[in-house]
Amino acid sequence: MDISNNFSNIINDITTEYYNNNTKNNFFKQNQKYELAEVIVRNIDFQAFLSQNIYRDASNSNHIFLSYPNIKPILCPSTYKPVIDFLDNIIIQVINDGFNTFYAHVDIFSVTPSSISRFKNLISIFMNSSMSLPNSRVDYLHTFFIYNAPSSIKTINNMLKAVINPSFFKKIQSKKEEQEEKERLQIIHQKAKFKRKIELKRKDCLI
């Protein structure tokens, strides 16, 4: 059985049952999401779930992958520290294995300004708490790659500036932007090739 699919099915079933028994309330939306997260955590193997969604790459073991859409259902104040501790243990493993830095790859699909507001304390704890290594997480971080950045990313960045170390922002690379730059360079290259072809044809006509 695919473990990730199994977790997904369990979470979907719990979510459906929860909202069948608790009408969605926009006024208490945040509290409901926190309560639902705690129900989910009580009904899954929490450590196995984290291992499935926060992990080192087998081929490049100083690269750490995390999926926000996948871990979002279990995020609430009572899980902030366990999630950060789990990630810290992976970072410590990377450094203890002889790497000076680590690369983070984070899928932020479905991140919104409201979710940033809801998880601002989690981000603040991660940025400001210490771990059992000589330097901070940001010091060990080489590059923070983000995938599936939303159209509201500028608004989100402005919200995060109050809690995120400025040096962290310098290490962020959007894979979407990187791809767009690659495509832009390809277009320039194609235009240059086309221009050279025209120039060669003109020379042929003059001969």
Side-chain angles (χ1 to χ4, degrees), residues 32-178:
Q32 282 189 318
K33 287 182 178 294
Y34 288 158
E35 185 178 62
L36 173 58
E38 291 186 353
V39 174
I40 290 170
V41 169
R42 288 197 298 267
N43 286 276
I44 62 172
D45 184 331
F46 187 61
Q47 290 301 310
F49 176 83
L50 292 181
S51 298
Q52 184 72 32
N53 294 292
I54 308 174
Y55 56 90
R56 295 171 72 178
D57 181 57
S59 302
N60 300 288
S61 53
N62 64 332
H63 288 247
I64 301 171
F65 287 77
L66 184 152
S67 169
Y68 166 76
N70 288 354
I71 68 168
K72 176 174 65 172
I74 58 91
L75 292 177
C76 61
S78 65
T79 62
Y80 291 170
K81 189 176 185 305
V83 169
I84 291 172
D85 287 347
F86 187 90
L87 178 57
D88 278 351
N89 284 335
I90 296 178
I91 296 171
I92 291 168
Q93 289 170 17
V94 169
I95 302 307
N96 287 343
D97 283 348
F99 296 99
N100 294 321
T101 58
F102 73 94
Y103 296 78
H105 301 258
V106 182
D107 179 6
I108 61 170
F109 178 77
S110 79
V111 164
T112 63
S114 63
S115 62
I116 292 298
S117 179
R118 190 163 68 253
F119 300 129
K120 212 167 184 178
N121 285 341
L122 168 64
I123 299 164
S124 179
I125 293 169
F126 179 75
M127 294 303 302
N128 298 307
S129 62
S130 60
M131 60 179 184
S132 57
L133 282 172
N135 299 320
S136 71
R137 301 175 186 89
V138 177
D139 291 332
Y140 288 114
L141 175 66
H142 185 282
T143 310
F144 189 92
F145 295 106
I146 59 173
Y147 302 79
N148 298 313
S151 58
S152 58
I153 189 63
K154 288 184 179 179
T155 302
I156 290 170
N157 283 344
N158 288 333
M159 293 175 67
L160 291 173
K161 284 179 180 177
V163 290
I164 285 186
N165 188 322
S167 63
F168 180 89
F169 272 104
K170 296 178 183 177
K171 299 184 178 185
I172 296 176
Q173 282 190 30
S174 170
K175 277 296 184 178
K176 182 179 178 182
E177 291 172 0
E178 186 179 77

